[in-house]
Amino acid sequence: MDLYGALQSLGIANPGGSGWLAVVFTFLLAWGVTYRFIPAVRSFALRVGWADQPNARRLNREPLPNAGGLAIYAGVVAALILATFLRPIILQDVLAEVLTILLGGSILVLVGFIDDQYGLPPYLRLLTQILTALLLIANGTHIQVTLGTPIDPLLSNLITVVWVVGITNAINLMDGMDGLAGGISFITAMSLLAVSAQFETRAAATLLLAALGGAALGFLRHNFHPSHIIMGDAGAYFFGYVLAATSIIGNLKVNTIFALVPPALFLLLPVLDTTQVFVRRLMAGKNPLSTPGKDHLHHRLLALGLSQRHTALTLWIVTLVCNLLAMRVQGMNSAVILTTAFSIVLLLGFTVWQRLRAVLKGA
């Protein structure tokens, strides 16, 4: 089978064009920039004190730089700038969507970074997340409710805000252990990328997800246990926001509550984890947004005796299964699903092997 036929069998939109090459280059550049930029960010962060100090709630035993989100953001932006130069004619139709999501993500990176270093009130973080969700709505990226009622527009905006804010916080709450949030974000980004690549109308999502997936993989090279750096709120907010936004780009219409199941399956693990944490904290009379605790799924696995590496790998597997199921529910054929699964396992396996080899060498 020739290359065109292979791409066609995977359902790639316009396999005869060079768009898929732009996606590959975007992924590789985001990976390379993030991977190479993190050591410099880590060194600078340690000098100026941008680090999480050990305490009873955290798992680190020494100061751990928390500015990894800046390298992730730089990798994504650099990759998308290159993509703009590679495909200026095609991108002009989706540039507004890309820039809107990047603008919202940039705001959250800034707010998350300030919170990492100085601390911000929970209500201010929540307000910022709501404003960035409204930014998407203003640009036409939203979940469209079509129940045939006069309040459909209001419900559309409300569900979109809840979705974006919820996913943004869900990824952030999963970022409590080496390699966990980065691995979940990588798996989800690659799975959503496999779906969006089937549709030319989702070119904005495809490019963003390629850049996000590459940045996540480059970050994991330094973040798998034992971690050299963590992403902090800046990186977790950015991952969550971009994943939430790209998952609803396109023609996502809700005529029943079950219409939200397919996109929710891609992010099922973070959603379930966040839901159980919120419910438990509310039942205990605590504020879910400002009360830290060791009540997440990864904390429970660690309490059962699993190591950080085994806990991360276990939750990666659960995330991969959920994403492959989501792809099946969305009508992807077996070739697309199997290729996606193989690619994810291969890239994660190579990255983990690189990290463990560096640890053995004392790097």
Side-chain angles (χ1 to χ4, degrees), residues 147-203:
L147 300 178
T149 69
I151 62 170
D152 279 1
L154 178 61
L155 286 175
S156 298
N157 294 340
L158 179 60
I159 292 176
T160 302
V161 169
V162 170
W163 173 258
V164 174
V165 172
I167 297 303
T168 300
N169 281 289
I171 296 297
N172 186 48
L173 290 172
M174 292 294 291
D175 185 31
M177 193 191 73
D178 292 349
L180 185 55
I184 289 173
S185 297
F186 171 74
I187 293 168
T188 305
M190 295 301 288
S191 300
L192 286 170
L193 171 61
V195 175
S196 67
Q198 316 291 315
F199 308 95
E200 290 190 41
T201 56
R202 300 183 190 177

Side-chain angles (χ1 to χ4, degrees), residues 174 180 269-270 272-274 276-277 295-302 311 315:
M174 292 294 291
L180 185 55
L269 182 63
L272 288 180
D273 180 60
T274 301
Q276 66 93 16
V277 167
D295 49 3
H296 291 278
L297 294 175
H298 58 273
H299 290 129
R300 300 183 186 283
L301 291 177
L302 290 170
T311 297
L315 294 177

